[in-house]
Amino acid sequence: MWLIVNAGSSSLKLKVFDGEREVAKAFVAEIGPDGHRAAMRDGLAQAGVPLHRLTAAAHRVVHGGASLTATCRVTPEVLHQIEACVPLAPLHNPGNLVGIQSVAELAPDLPQYASFDTAFHATNPEVATTYALPLAERALGLRRYGFHGISFAALVRILRQRGPLPERLLACHLGNGCSLAAIVNGRSVATTMGYSPLDGLTMGTRTGAIDGNAVLRLAALHGVEAAGRILNRQSGLLGLGGASDMRALHAAGTPEARFALDHFAYWALRHAGSMVAAMGGLDAVVFTGGIGENDPWMRKEILSGLGYLGVSPDLSANARNETVLHSPTSRVVILVVPADEERQIALEAQGLMAGEDA
């Protein structure tokens, strides 16, 4: 059995897979600074899986930088490279590292693997990933990376299992964090997130795209650390409408909440146009993530704005949260695919281990 670990700074999500089949899961919240080892033990007990029954563990790591571009076995060198990416993802990679270390402390001989949210976008062309900065600054790793790659890889896998993959696919991962990806023949060619998960769409608590000089102004007024909190934790839907949860905004009925919803839809459409331009056209729109899977109103707003591209939704099917949403006259396929990141991590790591043993 395989343990799949998604470790944050103060929470721990575990799933256990027997091959492709999920057999157990656990969640531990409000972990203290030094509590991940105990949380890992508690989570495994909650899942009812003793350590001796595990074949291996695989971890979600948010940032792999420019060098970690595929699922790999965890070695001291890989740990060093993940640690080197902490400045690129200070909110995520430290927790990911602690998850790996916690498993190593509890089961030192258990093989461990890492999958990277940035890896799927390694196929983006250099012109799409390069910021127009001086060479010395680019050499520091300042470039676009993109995220949610494990989710997008799972989406492509699921669609391939169903039949021929649409050639030019606009993939919409909409949750508390949001990004779009332009996927051509299963390969990412552009995405909305950049150097960090802050860029792109309006999100639950993140601003999305914002002028660098506005960031500098916030830093001048509040200091760098406080500016980071504002941009990452106090903005987005929360900053505009008073709540980071779409359901709360729909229920609030205030002008501020309605504006936040409209803002989210508007900027999703603005960025969708950019993704379609990167692909040179559009054959399918696919939604995933908590909002993408469960918010018919938001899907309708986004799809209605894509009508000029031949997108014609079946509004009744959309209202019923069905998985196929295009009308018979639509020139573009419209689908909903449930997020399946943990199974994607398990399958990639299992495949890698099988290759090692061959």
mmCIF file of all heavy atoms in Angstrom, residues 89-138:
data_model
loop_
_atom_site.group_PDB
_atom_site.id
_atom_site.type_symbol
_atom_site.label_atom_id
_atom_site.label_comp_id
_atom_site.label_asym_id
_atom_site.label_seq_id
_atom_site.Cartn_x
_atom_site.Cartn_y
_atom_site.Cartn_z
ATOM 1 N N ALA A 89 8.788 29.354 -2.737
ATOM 2 C CA ALA A 89 7.459 28.987 -2.211
ATOM 3 C C ALA A 89 7.529 28.922 -0.693
ATOM 4 O O ALA A 89 7.400 27.854 -0.099
ATOM 5 C CB ALA A 89 7.001 27.655 -2.795
ATOM 6 N N PRO A 90 7.714 30.064 -0.023
ATOM 7 C CA PRO A 90 7.913 30.053 1.432
ATOM 8 C C PRO A 90 6.687 29.620 2.217
ATOM 9 O O PRO A 90 6.812 29.230 3.381
ATOM 10 C CB PRO A 90 8.275 31.513 1.739
ATOM 11 C CG PRO A 90 7.695 32.302 0.610
ATOM 12 C CD PRO A 90 7.803 31.418 -0.593
ATOM 13 N N LEU A 91 5.506 29.684 1.613
ATOM 14 C CA LEU A 91 4.295 29.261 2.305
ATOM 15 C C LEU A 91 4.047 27.762 2.179
ATOM 16 O O LEU A 91 3.220 27.215 2.904
ATOM 17 C CB LEU A 91 3.073 30.015 1.753
ATOM 18 C CG LEU A 91 3.113 31.541 1.823
ATOM 19 C CD1 LEU A 91 1.838 32.133 1.232
ATOM 20 C CD2 LEU A 91 3.305 32.010 3.250
ATOM 21 N N HIS A 92 4.749 27.091 1.263
ATOM 22 C CA HIS A 92 4.417 25.709 0.947
ATOM 23 C C HIS A 92 5.565 24.726 1.144
ATOM 24 O O HIS A 92 5.405 23.713 1.826
ATOM 25 C CB HIS A 92 3.924 25.606 -0.506
ATOM 26 C CG HIS A 92 2.701 26.412 -0.786
ATOM 27 N ND1 HIS A 92 2.750 27.722 -1.218
ATOM 28 C CD2 HIS A 92 1.387 26.104 -0.699
ATOM 29 C CE1 HIS A 92 1.524 28.181 -1.387
ATOM 30 N NE2 HIS A 92 0.676 27.226 -1.081
ATOM 31 N N ASN A 93 6.717 24.991 0.542
ATOM 32 C CA ASN A 93 7.798 24.009 0.566
ATOM 33 C C ASN A 93 8.289 23.628 1.969
ATOM 34 O O ASN A 93 8.636 22.470 2.193
ATOM 35 C CB ASN A 93 8.964 24.472 -0.299
ATOM 36 C CG ASN A 93 8.808 24.038 -1.751
ATOM 37 O OD1 ASN A 93 7.696 24.043 -2.286
ATOM 38 N ND2 ASN A 93 9.908 23.686 -2.396
ATOM 39 N N PRO A 94 8.323 24.555 2.942
ATOM 40 C CA PRO A 94 8.754 24.131 4.278
ATOM 41 C C PRO A 94 7.870 23.034 4.861
ATOM 42 O O PRO A 94 8.374 22.054 5.433
ATOM 43 C CB PRO A 94 8.658 25.427 5.098
ATOM 44 C CG PRO A 94 8.887 26.507 4.094
ATOM 45 C CD PRO A 94 8.185 26.027 2.854
ATOM 46 N N GLY A 95 6.555 23.157 4.700
ATOM 47 C CA GLY A 95 5.656 22.115 5.177
ATOM 48 C C GLY A 95 5.836 20.812 4.424
ATOM 49 O O GLY A 95 5.796 19.722 5.012
ATOM 50 N N ASN A 96 6.054 20.907 3.108
ATOM 51 C CA ASN A 96 6.303 19.708 2.308
ATOM 52 C C ASN A 96 7.551 18.987 2.797
ATOM 53 O O ASN A 96 7.576 17.753 2.899
ATOM 54 C CB ASN A 96 6.458 20.066 0.842
ATOM 55 C CG ASN A 96 5.273 20.807 0.242
ATOM 56 O OD1 ASN A 96 5.424 21.542 -0.724
ATOM 57 N ND2 ASN A 96 4.077 20.636 0.803
ATOM 58 N N LEU A 97 8.600 19.730 3.109
ATOM 59 C CA LEU A 97 9.837 19.144 3.621
ATOM 60 C C LEU A 97 9.613 18.460 4.965
ATOM 61 O O LEU A 97 10.127 17.355 5.205
ATOM 62 C CB LEU A 97 10.906 20.226 3.769
ATOM 63 C CG LEU A 97 11.684 20.603 2.518
ATOM 64 C CD1 LEU A 97 12.481 21.880 2.760
ATOM 65 C CD2 LEU A 97 12.623 19.480 2.100
ATOM 66 N N VAL A 98 8.857 19.107 5.834
ATOM 67 C CA VAL A 98 8.584 18.530 7.152
ATOM 68 C C VAL A 98 7.820 17.209 7.005
ATOM 69 O O VAL A 98 8.064 16.257 7.748
ATOM 70 C CB VAL A 98 7.804 19.531 8.025
ATOM 71 C CG1 VAL A 98 7.275 18.867 9.275
ATOM 72 C CG2 VAL A 98 8.698 20.702 8.404
ATOM 73 N N GLY A 99 6.912 17.133 6.020
ATOM 74 C CA GLY A 99 6.196 15.882 5.781
ATOM 75 C C GLY A 99 7.135 14.749 5.411
ATOM 76 O O GLY A 99 7.017 13.624 5.908
ATOM 77 N N ILE A 100 8.093 15.041 4.532
ATOM 78 C CA ILE A 100 9.077 14.025 4.125
ATOM 79 C C ILE A 100 9.926 13.615 5.329
ATOM 80 O O ILE A 100 10.166 12.418 5.568
ATOM 81 C CB ILE A 100 9.966 14.576 2.996
ATOM 82 C CG1 ILE A 100 9.130 14.815 1.730
ATOM 83 C CG2 ILE A 100 11.116 13.615 2.690
ATOM 84 C CD1 ILE A 100 9.871 15.564 0.625
ATOM 85 N N GLN A 101 10.369 14.579 6.102
ATOM 86 C CA GLN A 101 11.205 14.286 7.261
ATOM 87 C C GLN A 101 10.443 13.499 8.324
ATOM 88 O O GLN A 101 11.016 12.603 8.975
ATOM 89 C CB GLN A 101 11.738 15.598 7.838
ATOM 90 C CG GLN A 101 12.715 16.306 6.910
ATOM 91 C CD GLN A 101 12.856 17.789 7.199
ATOM 92 O OE1 GLN A 101 12.153 18.343 8.062
ATOM 93 N NE2 GLN A 101 13.750 18.458 6.472
ATOM 94 N N SER A 102 9.148 13.781 8.486
ATOM 95 C CA SER A 102 8.346 13.071 9.487
ATOM 96 C C SER A 102 8.204 11.599 9.133
ATOM 97 O O SER A 102 8.303 10.726 9.999
ATOM 98 C CB SER A 102 6.962 13.722 9.609
ATOM 99 O OG SER A 102 7.071 15.047 10.052
ATOM 100 N N VAL A 103 7.977 11.313 7.854
ATOM 101 C CA VAL A 103 7.893 9.919 7.432
ATOM 102 C C VAL A 103 9.243 9.233 7.630
ATOM 103 O O VAL A 103 9.309 8.087 8.098
ATOM 104 C CB VAL A 103 7.440 9.821 5.957
ATOM 105 C CG1 VAL A 103 7.550 8.384 5.455
ATOM 106 C CG2 VAL A 103 6.007 10.314 5.811
ATOM 107 N N ALA A 104 10.326 9.929 7.293
ATOM 108 C CA ALA A 104 11.661 9.342 7.438
ATOM 109 C C ALA A 104 11.969 9.023 8.894
ATOM 110 O O ALA A 104 12.622 8.010 9.197
ATOM 111 C CB ALA A 104 12.709 10.285 6.871
ATOM 112 N N GLU A 105 11.501 9.850 9.809
ATOM 113 C CA GLU A 105 11.746 9.603 11.231
ATOM 114 C C GLU A 105 10.965 8.396 11.732
ATOM 115 O O GLU A 105 11.464 7.603 12.531
ATOM 116 C CB GLU A 105 11.380 10.843 12.046
ATOM 117 C CG GLU A 105 12.334 12.013 11.841
ATOM 118 C CD GLU A 105 11.832 13.297 12.473
ATOM 119 O OE1 GLU A 105 10.748 13.257 13.097
ATOM 120 O OE2 GLU A 105 12.504 14.327 12.331
ATOM 121 N N LEU A 106 9.735 8.241 11.245
ATOM 122 C CA LEU A 106 8.892 7.130 11.684
ATOM 123 C C LEU A 106 9.243 5.821 10.990
ATOM 124 O O LEU A 106 9.105 4.741 11.587
ATOM 125 C CB LEU A 106 7.415 7.463 11.426
ATOM 126 C CG LEU A 106 6.805 8.573 12.279
ATOM 127 C CD1 LEU A 106 5.412 8.936 11.771
ATOM 128 C CD2 LEU A 106 6.736 8.143 13.735
ATOM 129 N N ALA A 107 9.680 5.896 9.744
ATOM 130 C CA ALA A 107 9.980 4.692 8.963
ATOM 131 C C ALA A 107 11.228 4.951 8.123
ATOM 132 O O ALA A 107 11.125 5.228 6.919
ATOM 133 C CB ALA A 107 8.786 4.322 8.092
ATOM 134 N N PRO A 108 12.413 4.880 8.719
ATOM 135 C CA PRO A 108 13.643 5.274 8.015
ATOM 136 C C PRO A 108 13.921 4.489 6.737
ATOM 137 O O PRO A 108 14.585 5.014 5.836
ATOM 138 C CB PRO A 108 14.736 5.012 9.063
ATOM 139 C CG PRO A 108 14.024 5.009 10.379
ATOM 140 C CD PRO A 108 12.657 4.498 10.116
ATOM 141 N N ASP A 109 13.451 3.245 6.658
ATOM 142 C CA ASP A 109 13.750 2.415 5.488
ATOM 143 C C ASP A 109 12.661 2.472 4.412
ATOM 144 O O ASP A 109 12.778 1.802 3.381
ATOM 145 C CB ASP A 109 13.956 0.954 5.921
ATOM 146 C CG ASP A 109 15.152 0.801 6.852
ATOM 147 O OD1 ASP A 109 16.130 1.551 6.659
ATOM 148 O OD2 ASP A 109 15.096 -0.037 7.773
ATOM 149 N N LEU A 110 11.604 3.255 4.626
ATOM 150 C CA LEU A 110 10.503 3.312 3.664
ATOM 151 C C LEU A 110 10.908 4.188 2.469
ATOM 152 O O LEU A 110 11.285 5.343 2.644
ATOM 153 C CB LEU A 110 9.252 3.897 4.325
ATOM 154 C CG LEU A 110 7.948 3.788 3.525
ATOM 155 C CD1 LEU A 110 7.480 2.336 3.458
ATOM 156 C CD2 LEU A 110 6.865 4.669 4.156
ATOM 157 N N PRO A 111 10.853 3.659 1.244
ATOM 158 C CA PRO A 111 11.155 4.511 0.084
ATOM 159 C C PRO A 111 10.167 5.670 0.000
ATOM 160 O O PRO A 111 8.967 5.500 0.249
ATOM 161 C CB PRO A 111 10.978 3.558 -1.104
ATOM 162 C CG PRO A 111 11.062 2.181 -0.525
ATOM 163 C CD PRO A 111 10.509 2.284 0.862
ATOM 164 N N GLN A 112 10.689 6.842 -0.369
ATOM 165 C CA GLN A 112 9.836 8.018 -0.502
ATOM 166 C C GLN A 112 10.051 8.660 -1.874
ATOM 167 O O GLN A 112 11.160 8.657 -2.409
ATOM 168 C CB GLN A 112 10.140 9.040 0.592
ATOM 169 C CG GLN A 112 9.842 8.545 1.996
ATOM 170 C CD GLN A 112 9.763 9.705 2.971
ATOM 171 O OE1 GLN A 112 8.825 10.501 2.944
ATOM 172 N NE2 GLN A 112 10.746 9.801 3.850
ATOM 173 N N TYR A 113 8.951 9.224 -2.409
ATOM 174 C CA TYR A 113 8.959 9.859 -3.718
ATOM 175 C C TYR A 113 8.319 11.234 -3.588
ATOM 176 O O TYR A 113 7.555 11.505 -2.656
ATOM 177 C CB TYR A 113 8.205 9.002 -4.740
ATOM 178 C CG TYR A 113 8.858 7.665 -4.985
ATOM 179 C CD1 TYR A 113 8.634 6.601 -4.117
ATOM 180 C CD2 TYR A 113 9.716 7.467 -6.064
ATOM 181 C CE1 TYR A 113 9.262 5.370 -4.307
ATOM 182 C CE2 TYR A 113 10.341 6.244 -6.270
ATOM 183 C CZ TYR A 113 10.104 5.199 -5.389
ATOM 184 O OH TYR A 113 10.737 4.002 -5.596
ATOM 185 N N ALA A 114 8.618 12.107 -4.529
ATOM 186 C CA ALA A 114 8.061 13.458 -4.529
ATOM 187 C C ALA A 114 7.516 13.800 -5.907
ATOM 188 O O ALA A 114 8.162 13.513 -6.921
ATOM 189 C CB ALA A 114 9.119 14.477 -4.125
ATOM 190 N N SER A 115 6.320 14.388 -5.925
ATOM 191 C CA SER A 115 5.723 14.922 -7.154
ATOM 192 C C SER A 115 5.588 16.429 -6.986
ATOM 193 O O SER A 115 5.280 16.915 -5.890
ATOM 194 C CB SER A 115 4.346 14.302 -7.405
ATOM 195 O OG SER A 115 4.454 12.931 -7.712
ATOM 196 N N PHE A 116 5.781 17.162 -8.081
ATOM 197 C CA PHE A 116 5.898 18.615 -7.999
ATOM 198 C C PHE A 116 4.782 19.307 -8.774
ATOM 199 O O PHE A 116 4.517 18.976 -9.929
ATOM 200 C CB PHE A 116 7.267 19.041 -8.540
ATOM 201 C CG PHE A 116 8.399 18.346 -7.842
ATOM 202 C CD1 PHE A 116 8.956 17.189 -8.379
ATOM 203 C CD2 PHE A 116 8.881 18.824 -6.638
ATOM 204 C CE1 PHE A 116 9.980 16.519 -7.717
ATOM 205 C CE2 PHE A 116 9.912 18.167 -5.973
ATOM 206 C CZ PHE A 116 10.460 17.010 -6.514
ATOM 207 N N ASP A 117 4.164 20.288 -8.112
ATOM 208 C CA ASP A 117 3.076 21.036 -8.756
ATOM 209 C C ASP A 117 3.568 21.843 -9.951
ATOM 210 O O ASP A 117 2.786 22.223 -10.821
ATOM 211 C CB ASP A 117 2.412 21.975 -7.749
ATOM 212 C CG ASP A 117 1.053 21.473 -7.308
ATOM 213 O OD1 ASP A 117 0.448 20.659 -8.028
ATOM 214 O OD2 ASP A 117 0.589 21.896 -6.232
ATOM 215 N N THR A 118 4.847 22.142 -9.989
ATOM 216 C CA THR A 118 5.411 22.926 -11.082
ATOM 217 C C THR A 118 5.781 22.071 -12.295
ATOM 218 O O THR A 118 5.975 22.606 -13.392
ATOM 219 C CB THR A 118 6.681 23.646 -10.592
ATOM 220 O OG1 THR A 118 7.512 22.702 -9.880
ATOM 221 C CG2 THR A 118 6.339 24.787 -9.650
ATOM 222 N N ALA A 119 5.909 20.748 -12.109
ATOM 223 C CA ALA A 119 6.523 19.896 -13.133
ATOM 224 C C ALA A 119 5.740 19.871 -14.444
ATOM 225 O O ALA A 119 6.342 19.879 -15.529
ATOM 226 C CB ALA A 119 6.687 18.471 -12.601
ATOM 227 N N PHE A 120 4.418 19.845 -14.370
ATOM 228 C CA PHE A 120 3.596 19.725 -15.582
ATOM 229 C C PHE A 120 3.846 20.879 -16.545
ATOM 230 O O PHE A 120 3.706 20.725 -17.770
ATOM 231 C CB PHE A 120 2.118 19.671 -15.186
ATOM 232 C CG PHE A 120 1.172 19.437 -16.333
ATOM 233 C CD1 PHE A 120 1.075 18.201 -16.944
ATOM 234 C CD2 PHE A 120 0.368 20.472 -16.801
ATOM 235 C CE1 PHE A 120 0.197 17.984 -17.996
ATOM 236 C CE2 PHE A 120 -0.512 20.272 -17.853
ATOM 237 C CZ PHE A 120 -0.601 19.018 -18.454
ATOM 238 N N HIS A 121 4.230 22.020 -16.009
ATOM 239 C CA HIS A 121 4.421 23.213 -16.845
ATOM 240 C C HIS A 121 5.851 23.355 -17.357
ATOM 241 O O HIS A 121 6.178 24.367 -17.995
ATOM 242 C CB HIS A 121 4.020 24.467 -16.064
ATOM 243 C CG HIS A 121 2.616 24.426 -15.562
ATOM 244 N ND1 HIS A 121 1.524 24.386 -16.408
ATOM 245 C CD2 HIS A 121 2.114 24.388 -14.296
ATOM 246 C CE1 HIS A 121 0.415 24.333 -15.677
ATOM 247 N NE2 HIS A 121 0.747 24.339 -14.413
ATOM 248 N N ALA A 122 6.693 22.352 -17.124
ATOM 249 C CA ALA A 122 8.065 22.399 -17.632
ATOM 250 C C ALA A 122 8.109 22.403 -19.156
ATOM 251 O O ALA A 122 9.141 22.735 -19.748
ATOM 252 C CB ALA A 122 8.870 21.220 -17.088
ATOM 253 N N THR A 123 6.986 22.040 -19.793
ATOM 254 C CA THR A 123 6.913 22.038 -21.258
ATOM 255 C C THR A 123 6.568 23.414 -21.835
ATOM 256 O O THR A 123 6.525 23.573 -23.058
ATOM 257 C CB THR A 123 5.861 21.020 -21.730
ATOM 258 O OG1 THR A 123 4.618 21.285 -21.074
ATOM 259 C CG2 THR A 123 6.301 19.598 -21.401
ATOM 260 N N ASN A 124 6.318 24.404 -20.975
ATOM 261 C CA ASN A 124 6.067 25.760 -21.481
ATOM 262 C C ASN A 124 7.307 26.258 -22.224
ATOM 263 O O ASN A 124 8.431 26.077 -21.743
ATOM 264 C CB ASN A 124 5.762 26.726 -20.330
ATOM 265 C CG ASN A 124 4.356 26.614 -19.794
ATOM 266 O OD1 ASN A 124 3.910 27.504 -19.075
ATOM 267 N ND2 ASN A 124 3.648 25.549 -20.086
ATOM 268 N N PRO A 125 7.129 26.923 -23.369
ATOM 269 C CA PRO A 125 8.297 27.452 -24.079
ATOM 270 C C PRO A 125 8.985 28.547 -23.282
ATOM 271 O O PRO A 125 8.374 29.206 -22.437
ATOM 272 C CB PRO A 125 7.697 27.997 -25.376
ATOM 273 C CG PRO A 125 6.264 28.264 -25.057
ATOM 274 C CD PRO A 125 5.860 27.224 -24.063
ATOM 275 N N GLU A 126 10.265 28.737 -23.554
ATOM 276 C CA GLU A 126 11.064 29.719 -22.810
ATOM 277 C C GLU A 126 10.469 31.118 -22.904
ATOM 278 O O GLU A 126 10.508 31.892 -21.948
ATOM 279 C CB GLU A 126 12.497 29.701 -23.320
ATOM 280 C CG GLU A 126 13.447 30.543 -22.492
ATOM 281 C CD GLU A 126 14.880 30.439 -22.963
ATOM 282 O OE1 GLU A 126 15.124 29.803 -24.003
ATOM 283 O OE2 GLU A 126 15.761 31.004 -22.285
ATOM 284 N N VAL A 127 9.897 31.454 -24.043
ATOM 285 C CA VAL A 127 9.320 32.785 -24.201
ATOM 286 C C VAL A 127 8.138 32.987 -23.256
ATOM 287 O O VAL A 127 7.816 34.123 -22.882
ATOM 288 C CB VAL A 127 8.899 33.022 -25.675
ATOM 289 C CG1 VAL A 127 7.696 32.170 -26.064
ATOM 290 C CG2 VAL A 127 8.646 34.493 -25.951
ATOM 291 N N ALA A 128 7.482 31.883 -22.853
ATOM 292 C CA ALA A 128 6.350 31.976 -21.936
ATOM 293 C C ALA A 128 6.780 32.035 -20.483
ATOM 294 O O ALA A 128 6.019 32.506 -19.633
ATOM 295 C CB ALA A 128 5.416 30.788 -22.142
ATOM 296 N N THR A 129 7.961 31.545 -20.166
ATOM 297 C CA THR A 129 8.395 31.467 -18.773
ATOM 298 C C THR A 129 9.362 32.570 -18.363
ATOM 299 O O THR A 129 9.622 32.752 -17.177
ATOM 300 C CB THR A 129 9.075 30.111 -18.497
ATOM 301 O OG1 THR A 129 10.239 29.980 -19.318
ATOM 302 C CG2 THR A 129 8.124 28.960 -18.774
ATOM 303 N N THR A 130 9.875 33.318 -19.317
ATOM 304 C CA THR A 130 10.928 34.301 -19.026
ATOM 305 C C THR A 130 10.340 35.673 -18.726
ATOM 306 O O THR A 130 9.553 36.207 -19.502
ATOM 307 C CB THR A 130 11.896 34.411 -20.220
ATOM 308 O OG1 THR A 130 12.467 33.124 -20.477
ATOM 309 C CG2 THR A 130 13.001 35.406 -19.928
ATOM 310 N N TYR A 131 10.732 36.227 -17.586
ATOM 311 C CA TYR A 131 10.429 37.628 -17.296
ATOM 312 C C TYR A 131 11.464 38.510 -17.998
ATOM 313 O O TYR A 131 12.631 38.125 -18.119
ATOM 314 C CB TYR A 131 10.480 37.903 -15.795
ATOM 315 C CG TYR A 131 9.355 37.286 -14.997
ATOM 316 C CD1 TYR A 131 9.624 36.474 -13.897
ATOM 317 C CD2 TYR A 131 8.028 37.524 -15.323
ATOM 318 C CE1 TYR A 131 8.596 35.919 -13.145
ATOM 319 C CE2 TYR A 131 6.995 36.974 -14.582
ATOM 320 C CZ TYR A 131 7.282 36.175 -13.487
ATOM 321 O OH TYR A 131 6.265 35.621 -12.759
ATOM 322 N N ALA A 132 11.046 39.698 -18.420
ATOM 323 C CA ALA A 132 11.951 40.614 -19.118
ATOM 324 C C ALA A 132 12.814 41.370 -18.110
ATOM 325 O O ALA A 132 12.719 42.595 -17.947
ATOM 326 C CB ALA A 132 11.155 41.583 -19.993
ATOM 327 N N LEU A 133 13.661 40.608 -17.418
ATOM 328 C CA LEU A 133 14.563 41.137 -16.396
ATOM 329 C C LEU A 133 16.006 41.034 -16.871
ATOM 330 O O LEU A 133 16.320 40.233 -17.752
ATOM 331 C CB LEU A 133 14.413 40.325 -15.098
ATOM 332 C CG LEU A 133 13.134 40.513 -14.293
ATOM 333 C CD1 LEU A 133 13.030 39.427 -13.229
ATOM 334 C CD2 LEU A 133 13.107 41.899 -13.649
ATOM 335 N N PRO A 134 16.911 41.785 -16.266
ATOM 336 C CA PRO A 134 18.331 41.599 -16.577
ATOM 337 C C PRO A 134 18.774 40.169 -16.263
ATOM 338 O O PRO A 134 18.219 39.500 -15.382
ATOM 339 C CB PRO A 134 19.030 42.606 -15.658
ATOM 340 C CG PRO A 134 17.986 43.629 -15.342
ATOM 341 C CD PRO A 134 16.689 42.893 -15.324
ATOM 342 N N LEU A 135 19.797 39.720 -16.954
ATOM 343 C CA LEU A 135 20.270 38.343 -16.825
ATOM 344 C C LEU A 135 20.621 37.995 -15.386
ATOM 345 O O LEU A 135 20.315 36.887 -14.917
ATOM 346 C CB LEU A 135 21.482 38.128 -17.735
ATOM 347 C CG LEU A 135 22.126 36.735 -17.691
ATOM 348 C CD1 LEU A 135 21.121 35.655 -18.075
ATOM 349 C CD2 LEU A 135 23.346 36.686 -18.596
ATOM 350 N N ALA A 136 21.241 38.899 -14.671
ATOM 351 C CA ALA A 136 21.654 38.607 -13.295
ATOM 352 C C ALA A 136 20.453 38.280 -12.413
ATOM 353 O O ALA A 136 20.541 37.421 -11.521
ATOM 354 C CB ALA A 136 22.427 39.791 -12.720
ATOM 355 N N GLU A 137 19.328 38.948 -12.650
ATOM 356 C CA GLU A 137 18.132 38.688 -11.849
ATOM 357 C C GLU A 137 17.471 37.381 -12.283
ATOM 358 O O GLU A 137 16.972 36.608 -11.458
ATOM 359 C CB GLU A 137 17.145 39.857 -11.973
ATOM 360 C CG GLU A 137 17.766 41.233 -11.782
ATOM 361 C CD GLU A 137 18.618 41.329 -10.527
ATOM 362 O OE1 GLU A 137 18.229 40.755 -9.481
ATOM 363 O OE2 GLU A 137 19.690 41.955 -10.591
ATOM 364 N N ARG A 138 17.448 37.124 -13.575
ATOM 365 C CA ARG A 138 16.898 35.856 -14.064
ATOM 366 C C ARG A 138 17.692 34.677 -13.522
ATOM 367 O O ARG A 138 17.146 33.612 -13.245
ATOM 368 C CB ARG A 138 16.870 35.843 -15.590
ATOM 369 C CG ARG A 138 15.761 36.699 -16.189
ATOM 370 C CD ARG A 138 15.778 36.634 -17.703
ATOM 371 N NE ARG A 138 16.678 37.620 -18.289
ATOM 372 C CZ ARG A 138 17.487 37.400 -19.304
ATOM 373 N NH1 ARG A 138 17.545 36.203 -19.860
ATOM 374 N NH2 ARG A 138 18.253 38.361 -19.774
#
